């Protein structure tokens, strides 16, 4: 990586924050740490980092709350959810609030650095687990509030990409398997993320009218 | 489409009960709860209530009756302890009400009021109309507050019942405002009613009497309520505390401390330490966060237990991702066993650092993919007398009407794809 990305670590366990900081080493610049929603909002607004590593379960209303409260004043900041919790609703909820990806806390240092780079570049980061959650969410097994079924359905191609990711394929392998370019894979992932994030009716309406569906 | 989790888990013999669902409520959650119970769209039920309400107010009375009778849905009863704790401590996103959510309420209210006014004008029953509207609005507000207070009592981690909090909750200004406004509307309704039938002095007296009635009721019932609730609260708090202590102590003692002791003993061996830590993590994680209640009969649970066994035996982490989760029937047994064989092979022979298992269950069939990025092999070159792959995976799947496909190339890892169609003609 050519430039070092700036990062804020948000997690309510001090030991875990220290661990992540040590693991990231010099590859990124850690600007601040925060232990709850209020601290996190203050830190994000003050430092405007490239990427925020965000715990899903956070005192003060959960990780999603941080995204909602900083969204207006820190639009360029990207969020990567980092969690030990396996509750699908919470993970999907954080993604829907605006996080660009989700990785579990057992991720290795190099993988985490790679994921930070990807998120900073505006791409989505889907771990196999998240891909599984996404497929579940769109199949209706997980309850996700206010998903408009007709508009938010995944296309066949997007579903294929998600399934391959869930099977443990890397982006490159997905591209080779489906005979498409890596860029196209990234586009599909982006559109899956967008479909997940169209949360309120307003956004849905705007999205539809932009495409002249209304 | 996958099999809904909740239905698989619930006891099929228990009669279905209707609940109010305050999470989706516009007013009291009656319509949303009823819609869920009857399997109808919420909108239909709401429109139905409104249509009934216009017809002489029956809908209002019906709604009110259901609001009183139906219990509010407690949907965190069966939650895993870790999630429940996170919720109590406010670490999970809660229900957030935005101003835009009030849109439907305002619109519905305006339409209902307009229709009612029209009705009153047409039929000419003006005298009774406004008092009734005020009364209904006031009572709705008061009941709404009772709902909020009840919700907070459930979420209350202190376990104590406090009289003030049991009425106003911790909602602050909004709660008091709701109570005050509700009371005011009820008194206003009574006053208006008496004003319509008599003179101003009589109306004032009735209003005063209504207010005094409220205050008097508070004085009479208050102390009794207080004593009752403090007794109840103490008992409940004590019970909760002792149960929690016992649960947590037992679990920590049994597993975490044991593992820590083992880790200390084998501190020289990083591989063992990592394996022990992973096994303990898996255990704790499923205890804290697995909301399927540790039911070992579901497909996902079966795959996870395979993953755990293989990790314990061969020291290779196995990541399981499962979409849809049916219970393991006789039909699914072969694919579970074949998956196990494939995972064991990958862990034993591939030399890969980790194995990915992805399972997708649909009503038409189940597919499982087992993938490693290890050494790989040439499937055509496997000797005839090697039984592992051919017998236990390919043949087993074929015998039961499924199929297995092995994709592998030396140096590029292996992927085993198992699929088992589910149909009535399959035995």
């Amino acid at each position: 990586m050519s430039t070092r990305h700036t990062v804020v670590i948000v997690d309510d366990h001090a030991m875990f924050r220290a661990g992540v900081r040590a693991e990231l080493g010099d590859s990124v610049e850690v600007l601040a740490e925060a232990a709850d929603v209020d601290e996190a909002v203050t830190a994000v607004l003050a430092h405007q980092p490239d990427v925020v590593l965000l715990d899903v379960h956070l005192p003060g209303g959960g990780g999603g709350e941080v995204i909602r409260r900083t969204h207006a004043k820190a639009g360029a900041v990207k969020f990567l959810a980092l969690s030990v919790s396996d509750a699908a609703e919470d993970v999907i909820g954080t993604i829907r609030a605006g996080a660009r990806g989700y990785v579990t806390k057992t991720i290795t240092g190099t993988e985490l650095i790679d994921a930070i780079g990807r998120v900073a570049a505006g791409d989505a980061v889907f771990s196999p687990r998240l891909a599984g959650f996404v497929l579940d969410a769109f199949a209706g097994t997980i309850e996700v509030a206010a998903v408009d079924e007709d508009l938010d359905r995944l296309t066949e191609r997007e579903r294929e990409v998600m399934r391959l990711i869930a099977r443990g394929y890397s982006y490159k392998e997905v591209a080779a398997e489906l005979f498409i370019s890596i860029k196209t894979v990234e586009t599909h992932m982006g559109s899956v993320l967008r479909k997940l994030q169209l949360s309120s009716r307003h956004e849905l309406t705007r999205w539809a009218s932009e495409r002249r569906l209304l | 489409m996958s099999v809904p989790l909740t239905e698989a888990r619930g006891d099929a013999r228990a009669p279905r009960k209707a609940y109010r669902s305050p999470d989706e409520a516009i007013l009291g959650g009656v319509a949303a709860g009823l819609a869920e119970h009857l399997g109808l769209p919420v909108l239909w039920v709401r429109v139905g209530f409104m249509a009934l309400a216009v017809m002489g107010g029956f809908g209002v009375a019906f709604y009110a009756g259901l609001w009183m009778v139906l219990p509010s849905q407690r949907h965190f009863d069966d939650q895993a302890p870790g999630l429940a704790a996170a919720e109590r401590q406010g670490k999970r996103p809660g229900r957030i009400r935005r101003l835009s959510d009030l849109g439907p309420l305002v619109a519905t209210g305006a339409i209902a009021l307009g229709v009612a006014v029209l009705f009153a004008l047409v039929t000419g029953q003006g005298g009774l109309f406004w008092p009734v509207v005020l009364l209904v609005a006031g009572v709705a507000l008061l009941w709404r507050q009772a709902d909020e207070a009840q919700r907070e009592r459930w979420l209350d981690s202190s376990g104590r019942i406090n009289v003030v909090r049991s009425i106003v909750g911790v909602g602050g200004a909004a709660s008091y405002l709701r109570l005050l406004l509700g009371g005011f509307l009820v008194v206003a309704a009574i006053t208006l009613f008496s004003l319509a039938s008599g003179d101003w002095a009589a109306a004032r007296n009735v209003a005063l009497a209504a207010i005094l009635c409220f205050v008097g009721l508070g004085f009479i019932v208050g102390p009794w309520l207080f004593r009752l609730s403090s007794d109840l609260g103490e008992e409940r708090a004590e019970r909760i505390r002792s149960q929690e202590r016992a649960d947590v102590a037992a679990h920590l003692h049994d597993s975490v401390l044991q593992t820590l002791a083992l880790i200390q003993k084998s501190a020289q061996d990083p591989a063992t330490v990592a394996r022990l830590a992973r096994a303990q993590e898996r255990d704790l994680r499923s205890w804290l966060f697995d909301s399927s209640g540790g039911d070992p009969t579901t497909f996902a649970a079966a795959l996870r237990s395979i993953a755990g066994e293989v990790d314990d035996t061969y020291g290779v982490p196995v990541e399981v991702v499962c979409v849809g989760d049916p219970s393991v029937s006789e039909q699914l047994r072969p694919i579970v066993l074949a998956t196990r064989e494939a995972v064991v092979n990958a862990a034993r022979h591939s030399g890969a650092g980790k194995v990915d298992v992805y399972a997708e269950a649909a009503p038409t069939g189940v597919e499982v993919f087992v993938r490693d990025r290890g050494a790989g092999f040439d499937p055509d070159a496997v000797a005839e007398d090697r039984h592992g792959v051919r017998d236990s995976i390919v043949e087993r799947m074929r015998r039961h009407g499924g199929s297995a496909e092995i994709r592998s190339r030396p140096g590029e890892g292996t992927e085993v794809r198992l699929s088992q169609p589910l149909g009535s003609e399959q035995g």
Side-chain angles (χ1 to χ4, degrees), chain B residues 309-366:
Chain B
E309 272 174 51
V310 170
D311 191 351
D312 286 344
T313 318
Y314 302 100
V316 179
V318 180
E319 166 122 13
V320 177
V321 174
C322 226
V323 173
D325 194 8
S327 51
V328 177
S329 59
E330 228 14 72
Q331 256 184 328
L332 286 180
R333 186 92 37 205
I335 199 169
V336 171
L337 293 175
T339 303
R340 187 193 150 75
E341 198 61 34
V343 174
V344 168
N345 277 341
R348 245 159 93 184
H349 303 303
S350 75
K354 117 178 205 244
V355 180
D356 285 300
V357 176
Y358 170 65
E360 191 171 346
T364 51
V366 175

Side-chain angles (χ1 to χ4, degrees), chain B residues 251-271:
Chain B
H251 196 270
L252 286 186
H253 225 116
D254 276 359
S255 63
V256 181
L257 284 184
Q258 298 264 14
T259 308
L260 284 177
L262 281 175
I263 285 179
Q264 285 177 37
K265 257 190 247 170
S266 48
Q268 319 307 328
D269 181 3

Side-chain angles (χ1 to χ4, degrees), chain B residues 264-287:
Chain B
Q264 285 177 37
K265 257 190 247 170
S266 48
Q268 319 307 328
D269 181 3
T272 312
V273 170
R275 208 192 58 214
L276 285 169
R278 256 198 328 268
Q280 184 59 62
E281 187 204 325
R282 207 168 44 234
D283 189 34
L284 269 183
R285 188 195 288 268
S286 79
W287 191 70

Side-chain angles (χ1 to χ4, degrees), chain B residues 105-162:
Chain B
L105 178 61
V106 172
T108 321
I111 293 172
L113 200 66
V115 172
V117 165
L118 190 69
F119 197 73
L121 280 180
V122 170
T123 55
Q125 296 174 320
L128 211 56
F129 172 70
W130 283 111
V132 169
V133 168
L134 286 183
L135 191 70
V136 167
V139 171
L141 263 177
L142 288 175
W143 287 9
R144 181 63 200 276
Q145 175 52 34
D147 271 4
E148 294 282 329
Q150 187 185 31
R151 174 199 302 283
E152 275 151 16
R153 227 164 32 237
W154 288 346
L155 293 181
D156 186 5
S157 56
S158 68
R160 296 191 70 93
I161 299 179
N162 178 324

Side-chain angles (χ1 to χ4, degrees), chain B residues 89-272:
Chain B
Q89 293 159 17
K91 292 186 187 179
R92 291 182 90 192
R95 191 186 55 130
I96 294 166
R97 286 220 164 233
R98 293 198 185 74
L99 209 56
S100 60
D101 291 344
L102 286 176
L105 178 61
V106 172
T108 321
I111 293 172
L113 200 66
V115 172
V117 165
L118 190 69
F119 197 73
L121 280 180
V122 170
T123 55
Q125 296 174 320
L128 211 56
F129 172 70
W130 283 111
V132 169
V133 168
L134 286 183
L135 191 70
V136 167
V139 171
L141 263 177
L142 288 175
W143 287 9
R144 181 63 200 276
Q145 175 52 34
D147 271 4
E148 294 282 329
Q150 187 185 31
R151 174 199 302 283
E152 275 151 16
R153 227 164 32 237
W154 288 346
L155 293 181
D156 186 5
S157 56
S158 68
R160 296 191 70 93
I161 299 179
N162 178 324
V163 172
V164 179
R165 278 181 73 185
S166 72
I167 297 174
V168 296
V170 285
S175 304
Y176 286 106
L177 200 66
R178 236 179 261 140
L179 274 175
L180 255 163
L181 203 62
F184 174 75
L185 283 175
V186 172
V187 171
I190 296 171
T191 315
L192 209 60
F193 176 67
S194 56
L195 191 64
S197 57
D199 59 329
W200 169 240
R204 199 186 51 198
N205 285 343
V206 171
L208 270 177
I211 293 173
L212 280 178
C213 203
F214 268 104
V215 175
L217 215 63
F219 273 117
I220 295 164
V221 183
W224 177 74
L225 211 66
F226 182 78
R227 219 158 298 147
L228 183 77
S229 70
S230 62
D231 285 356
L232 254 173
E234 265 167 36
E235 190 196 319
R236 189 170 75 163
E238 186 47 47
R239 201 177 58 235
I240 290 175
R241 262 202 303 276
S242 64
Q243 279 173 355
E244 266 174 8
R245 259 202 308 268
D247 280 5
V248 172
H251 196 270
L252 286 186
H253 225 116
D254 276 359
S255 63
V256 181
L257 284 184
Q258 298 264 14
T259 308
L260 284 177
L262 281 175
I263 285 179
Q264 285 177 37
K265 257 190 247 170
S266 48
Q268 319 307 328
D269 181 3
T272 312

Side-chain angles (χ1 to χ4, degrees), chain A residues 80-81 86-88 90-96 99-104 124-138 142 162-163 165-166 171 189 192-193 196-197, chain B residues 319-323 358:
Chain A
L80 177 61
D86 282 336
D90 295 350
V91 173
I92 295 280
T94 310
I95 296 289
R96 279 165 66 82
R100 308 280 314 168
Y102 164 69
V103 291
T104 44
V125 171
F126 281 74
S127 58
R129 192 173 293 281
L130 174 59
F133 287 162
V134 169
L135 286 168
D136 251 347
F138 281 98
I142 303 170
M162 279 295 111
R163 292 184 71 200
I165 299 281
Y171 285 25
M189 312 270 273
V192 171
L193 195 71
L196 269 176
Q197 289 175 347
Chain B
E319 166 122 13
V320 177
V321 174
C322 226
V323 173
Y358 170 65

